[in-house]
């Protein structure tokens, strides 16, 4: 018996993002980083630098009879852009462009009609929150912690 759609949703989100042409030059990372990546743009799924939770979820019965349950969850994600210069505007623009491409990848298109459902893993998914951080650490860095919120039926 399936107890959660979280594993399937995270797997589907990773598959959608790694297949998106917009992320060809971006390290799409499953969870926290385990190695030192060389690309200056990164996208983490299931990890944020300021949160211990990869996914937060709640479940409840959807109707009398307790045959099915509704599940709501938020997948923690983090986008990062860095460079050796000190121009924050460029990093900020780059990180918001990265998250914009995530939002685009989650929209239905003729070639990807099931993207908003994470290819059938959930009823729907969309971006719902974000926090921008900026730093000067061996150059400029902008990070955007955001959530992909999902609704599923189990």
């Amino acid at each position: 018996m399936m107890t959660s759609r979280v594993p399937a949703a995270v797997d589907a989100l990773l598959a959608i993002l790694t297949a998106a042409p917009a992320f060809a030059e971006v390290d799409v990372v499953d969870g926290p980083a385990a190695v030192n990546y060389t690309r200056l743009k990164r996208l983490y799924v299931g990890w944020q630098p300021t949160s211990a939770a990869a996914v937060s979820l709640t479940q409840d019965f959807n109707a009398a009879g307790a045959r099915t349950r509704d599940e709501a969850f938020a997948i923690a994600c983090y986008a990062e852009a860095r460079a050796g210069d000190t121009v924050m505007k460029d990093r900020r623009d780059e990180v918001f462009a990265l998250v914009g491409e995530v939002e685009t990848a989650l929209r239905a298109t003729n070639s990807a009609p099931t993207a908003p459902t994470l290819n059938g893993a959930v009823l729907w998914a969309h971006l719902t929150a974000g926090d921008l951080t900026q730093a000067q650490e061996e150059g400029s860095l902008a990070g955007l912690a955001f959530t992909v919120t999902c609704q599923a039926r189990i």
Side-chain angles (χ1 to χ4, degrees), residues 89-140:
K89 179 192 178 348
D90 292 347
R91 300 305 77 72
R92 191 170 45 250
D93 291 348
E94 289 173 350
V95 80
F96 272 93
L98 282 173
V99 175
E101 290 297 339
V102 172
E103 189 171 20
T104 298
L106 292 178
R107 290 188 179 156
T109 63
N110 289 338
S111 61
T114 61
T117 66
L118 299 179
N119 297 333
V122 297
L123 298 173
W124 51 258
H126 64 130
L127 271 70
T128 55
D131 292 307
L132 174 68
T133 57
Q134 301 179 132
Q136 293 289 350
E137 297 175 0
E138 299 177 13
S140 55

Side-chain angles (χ1 to χ4, degrees), residues 18-60:
T18 55
F23 298 117
E25 299 299 318
V26 176
D27 282 321
V28 178
V29 184
D30 182 358
V35 298
N36 186 9
Y37 293 96
T38 57
R39 290 192 179 142
L40 299 177
K41 294 180 184 175
R42 299 178 193 143
L43 183 60
Y44 298 87
V45 175
W47 180 78
Q48 292 176 345
T50 57
S51 175
V55 178
S56 298
L57 66 111
T58 60
Q59 294 182 357
D60 204 351

